[in-house]
Amino acid sequence: MEIRNGTYTLYNNTHMLVREYYGHGISDPDIDNMREISYAKKLGYIKGFTLDEKEGRYCKSIKIADMSNAYEVETRGRYKGQEFIIFGYRARSNVFGIMTRDEKLASRLGFISLSDGFILEVDAADVDEIWEVRGKSKLGLPLPQGLKEKVIIL
């Protein structure tokens, strides 16, 4: 199961992860206007992309100006009747990593404290519902045509 969080683009009819280009934020306009887009190896080769074997993804550097759309994704789920951000899935042990910023809720359910929130690994069977919330990205690009704001995964 793929858990998606972050910025994405619909490029060449494939939903791709958008990451800041290495060196972003060092006051170099050429680097600040670049991003890396990538997609899972299992989807096959698309011309112009390079396989990163370590990550198992095809990658390409691209100027933001050459992207026609972008959107933010946050995967959420319901655990013990409460809504949480799901930040990962481990297939081998069939667990989800969930996160909250609500200190009282985290304390009550035994979450581990991090600098920007609280995390917990939970059995996948204990998560009642999973969905993606999608919206505008910080890149200032339009949303892909026909993008649904909420998509139920499970």
Side-chain angles (χ1 to χ4, degrees), residues 4 6-12 14-19 35-37 62-74 133-149:
R4 300 189 321 150
T7 305
Y8 284 77
T9 185
L10 181 59
Y11 184 87
N12 202 26
T14 304
H15 293 271
M16 298 188 187
L17 176 63
V18 178
R19 290 188 275 204
R35 293 295 184 269
E36 178 187 76
I37 57 176
I62 188 171
K63 293 179 182 175
I64 294 172
D66 292 336
M67 295 170 54
S68 63
N69 62 72
Y71 61 101
E72 293 294 318
V73 176
E74 187 173 83
V133 176
R134 302 158 172 190
K136 286 197 77 63
S137 79
K138 297 172 186 152
L139 296 176
L141 296 170
L143 296 170
Q145 248 184 347
L147 184 75
K148 295 179 181 176
E149 189 175 308

Side-chain angles (χ1 to χ4, degrees), residues 76-86 94-100 105-106 108-111 118-131:
R76 297 182 185 172
R78 194 164 310 286
Y79 171 72
K80 295 193 175 186
Q82 301 292 320
E83 184 177 315
F84 296 96
I85 297 167
I86 298 179
N94 198 31
V95 297
F96 288 112
I98 61 175
M99 178 182 160
T100 185
L105 182 61
R108 190 181 68 186
L109 295 176
F111 278 61
F118 304 89
I119 62 168
L120 182 67
E121 276 193 350
V122 298
D123 190 298
D126 293 335
V127 177
D128 299 326
E129 184 181 7
I130 300 173
W131 65 96

Side-chain angles (χ1 to χ4, degrees), residues 101-121:
R101 289 184 178 84
D102 183 328
E103 190 172 353
K104 287 181 183 177
L105 182 61
S107 176
R108 190 181 68 186
L109 295 176
F111 278 61
I112 298 167
S113 178
L114 296 177
S115 61
D116 62 344
F118 304 89
I119 62 168
L120 182 67
E121 276 193 350

